[in-house]
Amino acid sequence: MCSSDLAADRLGGQLNIAVRSPRRRDLQGIIDWRTQEAARLGVTVRLNAYVSAEELVGQGFDVVIVATGGIPSQSEVPGAELVTESWDVLAGSRRVSGRALVFDDHGGNQALDVAEALVRAGVEVELATPERSMSPDVGGMVASLYFKSLTQAGVRFTVLRRLHSIERNADGTLTVALGIEDDNWTETRVVDAVVFEGGT
C-alpha cells in the first residue's frame, strides 16, 4: 500500500504498515480482533471504496461517522519533494539503496522501524532528530532493543539537528543541510535518499 492511496483493500489502516516490523508483529492481533468483531456484529465493510456526501444522502442513516484515517505528515523544507516517506519504505512500495538519512521529526517507533528495515536491506543509515535524545516516545526497554541492533549494524545517531533543505546533485545523490534551532549554522550530508518520518 502506497501512502498516497486513500482507499485500502483491507482493514487495519496504519497498523498494516506497523506489523511489517518484526518488533511490532503482535499488533496484528488488534487488526484481527477488530475484523472479527465487525463480522460478529454484522457490520457491512466496503474496501477499496470512496464515499461522497451525495452517496450518503437519502440512505436512511441516523448517524454518519467520518473515520478517514490519516496520511503521513509532510516535510516543508526546500527540496521536500525529494524525500521518501517512511510509510512507503515500511510498506515496501519504495526501495532505498546506498546511503540514507532517516529524519525523525516524530519521536515514536516508526523511524526506528524504518532504520531497521533499511539496515536489513543493506543500506548505510544515519538517524537524525531535532530532539536531544533519540525516539523519546519509545519506552526504555523497547528502545534499548532497537538501539542495540542499530548500533551493531553501524547506524549513526545524530541529535539536535533540524532538517533545513535537500538538493539533488548532478550525479543523482542528495545534499542535505542540517542545522540547529535558532541559528544559521548548518552542516551537510551527501546521501542517496532522505526518509522522512513526521507523524500522521
Side-chain angles (χ1 to χ4, degrees):
M1 179 178 71
C2 182
S3 66
S4 60
D5 294 342
L6 299 178
D9 60 358
R10 58 187 170 167
L11 296 174
Q14 296 170 49
L15 288 176
N16 285 317
I17 297 172
V19 298
R20 291 174 180 255
S21 167
R23 296 193 190 283
R24 304 212 294 158
R25 287 190 179 137
D26 59 330
L27 295 174
Q28 183 65 47
I30 296 171
I31 300 169
D32 295 344
W33 180 78
R34 289 181 175 174
T35 301
Q36 292 165 5
E37 282 296 288
R40 183 181 68 80
L41 295 169
V43 175
T44 300
V45 177
R46 289 190 334 172
L47 299 172
N48 277 332
Y50 296 93
V51 178
S52 67
E54 293 76 24
E55 291 177 79
L56 298 175
V57 173
Q59 295 291 317
F61 296 116
D62 296 317
V63 176
V64 174
I65 299 171
V66 179
T68 59
I71 58 172
S73 179
Q74 304 291 311
S75 172
E76 296 181 358
V77 302
E81 70 279 1
L82 300 171
V83 305
T84 299
E85 294 172 359
S86 62
W87 289 20
D88 290 340
V89 171
L90 291 173
S93 62
R94 289 286 302 273
R95 301 245 185 258
V96 173
S97 60
R99 295 161 297 166
L101 175 76
V102 176
F103 189 78
D104 182 10
D105 205 10
H106 181 212
N109 292 72
Q110 295 84 344
L112 298 174
D113 290 336
V114 168
E116 284 195 327
L118 292 174
V119 164
R120 285 192 302 273
V123 177
E124 182 183 325
V125 176
E126 177 178 357
L127 182 56
T129 180
E131 303 291 338
R132 61 183 176 171
S133 64
M134 301 303 301
S135 306
D137 293 342
V138 180
M141 289 179 63
V142 173
S144 66
L145 297 173
Y146 279 109
F147 293 129
K148 179 180 178 182
S149 77
L150 293 173
T151 299
Q152 290 172 344
V155 171
R156 177 180 177 184
F157 300 100
T158 303
V159 296
L160 296 171
R161 295 295 184 271
R162 175 68 59 194
L163 184 61
H164 276 252
S165 65
I166 307 163
E167 293 181 10
R168 184 170 304 284
N169 303 316
D171 63 358
T173 60
L174 303 174
T175 296
V176 183
L178 299 172
I180 56 177
E181 293 286 352
D182 301 321
D183 196 276
N184 293 326
W185 177 88
T186 60
E187 61 183 1
T188 60
R189 305 281 193 272
V190 177
V191 296
D192 299 294
V194 176
V195 180
F196 183 79
E197 169 53 46
T200 304

